[in-house]
Amino acid sequence: MAGGERRPETGLLPETSRSGRYLSLLERRRIAALRERGLTIREIAGLLGRAPSTVSRELRRNSRPHDYGRYDADLAHHRCREGHVCWSGVSAATR
């Protein structure tokens, strides 16, 4: 599959580099889009190749009442980077 081709089973673009531990902004956006479509946590996890607990935890941590219970991928990623909830984008020397 070439770099810009979509995966036929999901219709999603492949991700070039992915951390086994932290969700990327692209993965968070995919979670938001798939959740809006009404997919279950297990279905989303299967499409992303992540554990259902990872998707569930992401949604639970980042769906706040003042956000009307909706999951906003960009806001979640910002919260992650600002609140030291995750280390994505931080060099190993900084850790």
Side-chain angles (χ1 to χ4, degrees), residues 5-83:
E5 286 184 44
R6 294 182 183 272
R7 293 176 42 195
E9 66 275 10
T10 63
L12 299 174
L13 291 171
E15 196 163 347
T16 54
S17 69
R18 178 180 117 171
S19 166
R21 185 170 176 147
Y22 304 108
L23 293 172
S24 67
L25 177 57
L26 180 57
E27 287 176 305
R28 287 186 169 98
R29 287 180 176 165
R30 288 176 178 169
I31 289 170
L34 295 170
R35 196 64 176 165
E36 283 290 316
R37 282 200 214 159
L39 273 70
T40 67
I41 289 171
R42 289 189 178 275
E43 290 170 328
I44 294 169
L47 290 171
L48 295 179
R50 293 286 190 166
S53 60
T54 301
V55 176
S56 173
R57 195 173 305 116
E58 175 68 13
L59 291 169
R60 187 180 69 243
R61 287 179 180 162
N62 293 296
S63 296
R64 309 249 173 98
H66 63 272
D67 296 332
Y68 304 102
R70 293 188 61 224
Y71 176 76
D72 182 318
D74 294 304
L75 184 57
H77 197 69
H78 176 74
R79 284 176 179 157
C80 167
R81 296 181 65 130
E82 292 295 315

